[in-house]
Amino acid sequence: VLSPLAGWLVDRATPSWLAPNAITLLGLAWMATSYAIVWWHCPGLYEANDRVAGALRGSDDGSDVGDVPRWIFLFNGVAMLAYQTLDNMDGKQARKTRSSSPLGLLFDHGCDAVNSILGSANWMAAMAMVPGSLDRWMGGGGHEFETPPSAVSAAFGGDEVLAALLVFCPMIAFYVSTWEQYYTGKLILPPFNGPSEGLVLGASLSILSFLYGPMIWQSTSLVDTALDACRPVVGSSLQSWKGTVRNMDLIVLSSVLALLQEISLKIRFVLRTHGAHTLRTLLPH
């Protein structure tokens, strides 16, 4: 969907002397800079969480918690959009200048792999996620953190598991896509995919955190509103879910479902076109 924009920029605004690898590296530089800024303000990823800030404010181990400027999330959104556009441009520039090479492909995939980790960490900070037990991290100081009950978090085993899913879902999807490319010779992406539209959605998440604050993802407003709208149809049978599904939970569930769909389609395609023996190379050995 966004490929025509990258094509227009390569044809109209990119000089032929600019190496495709330089475009790739420039995109990663945007994300590395954003990650460094987010890390400076949110080294534990939870510092933008107002509930944690309220519990730790004034204590020796949390005097700076809660003073996270929102502009860092706006910068992350802009950085993700820049990375997505430049990541689309590098391959087009390589074909334009006839400089495509296996080394360039390896460099591009390597930058994508690094970016999957940087982007996931920035998303967690933008959603004010608490990726684990703060009380355990701080030596069992007896801190009380009032967090809304989450049915999704309880089902998966805690927010630390949700944090792991946010990290590993894009990594696994990228791994399986690269495995498919090994057999097909090309990176096959659906019309709506993670490297393009997925990054735009991730950028939108960060921009919403800038506009409305990171705590919007810790609220249960989306599911609660949907349940209220459906009440005339389904009655009160689903009202027990009210207040138990955070907006952040919907992001994690969407990531898991998208991952399951993508890897199942790719594995099935490779099995159908290249045989069952390909499964032996799916896992590192």
Side-chain angles (χ1 to χ4, degrees):
V1 176
L2 298 172
S3 183
L5 172 62
W8 184 88
L9 290 173
V10 168
D11 294 336
R12 303 292 183 88
T14 307
S16 298
W17 53 260
L18 185 61
N21 286 352
I23 298 177
T24 305
L25 189 60
L26 179 61
L28 183 62
W30 270 96
M31 287 303 300
T33 302
S34 177
Y35 176 79
I37 293 173
V38 171
W39 175 84
W40 180 263
H41 291 281
C42 304
L45 303 179
Y46 58 80
E47 283 78 3
N49 191 304
D50 290 344
R51 295 188 183 92
V52 174
L56 296 182
R57 193 179 301 277
S59 64
D60 294 336
D61 49 13
S63 57
D64 295 329
V65 174
D67 299 325
V68 177
R70 288 191 189 179
W71 66 263
I72 67 174
F73 306 121
L74 175 63
F75 184 87
N76 183 58
V78 172
M80 295 193 73
L81 292 175
Y83 174 84
Q84 182 274 331
T85 303
L86 293 167
D87 188 48
N88 263 321
M89 290 173 58
D90 55 8
K92 299 180 186 300
Q93 177 73 351
R95 290 186 288 274
K96 170 186 172 182
T97 59
R98 298 182 181 179
S99 56
S100 300
S101 68
L103 180 60
L105 178 64
L106 180 63
F107 185 74
D108 179 59
H109 281 6
C111 290
D112 289 340
V114 172
N115 178 66
S116 70
I117 301 175
L118 303 182
S120 296
N122 288 351
W123 285 336
M124 282 187 272
M127 293 189 293
M129 192 175 195
V130 182
S133 172
L134 286 178
D135 191 61
R136 183 171 65 249
W137 293 353
M138 296 176 180
H143 300 288
E144 295 293 336
F145 303 103
E146 296 182 3
T147 58
S150 168
V152 175
S153 179
F156 279 93
D159 277 4
E160 55 265 45
V161 178
L162 300 187
L165 289 172
L166 284 177
V167 172
F168 284 107
C169 279
M171 292 178 65
I172 294 173
F174 181 70
Y175 176 85
V176 174
S177 295
T178 306
W179 171 78
E180 179 191 38
Q181 185 179 16
Y182 175 78
Y183 288 101
T184 63
K186 54 186 177 180
L187 188 63
I188 302 174
L189 296 174
F192 188 94
N193 58 79
S196 294
E197 287 72 28
L199 285 174
V200 173
L201 291 177
S204 301
L205 183 153
S206 292
I207 293 173
L208 286 173
S209 294
F210 164 73
L211 293 174
Y212 301 104
M215 290 304 291
I216 187 177
W217 304 105
Q218 296 297 318
S219 73
T220 60
S221 58
L222 292 178
V223 171
D224 290 353
T225 301
L227 289 175
D228 289 338
C230 295
R231 188 164 189 167
V233 179
V234 299
S236 59
S237 58
L238 298 178
Q239 294 304 305
S240 60
W241 287 91
K242 201 169 183 179
T244 65
V245 180
R246 299 167 298 184
N247 298 338
M248 180 187 73
D249 297 332
L250 298 178
I251 300 296
V252 177
L253 288 175
S254 299
S255 299
V256 172
L257 292 175
L259 171 67
L260 293 176
Q261 179 190 30
E262 184 166 354
I263 64 174
S264 62
L265 291 175
K266 290 183 177 298
I267 291 175
R268 185 173 62 180
F269 176 75
V270 173
L271 290 177
R272 188 174 66 249
T273 56
H274 292 81
H277 70 278
T278 57
L279 287 176
R280 293 181 298 177
T281 61
L282 183 57
L283 298 177
H285 60 282

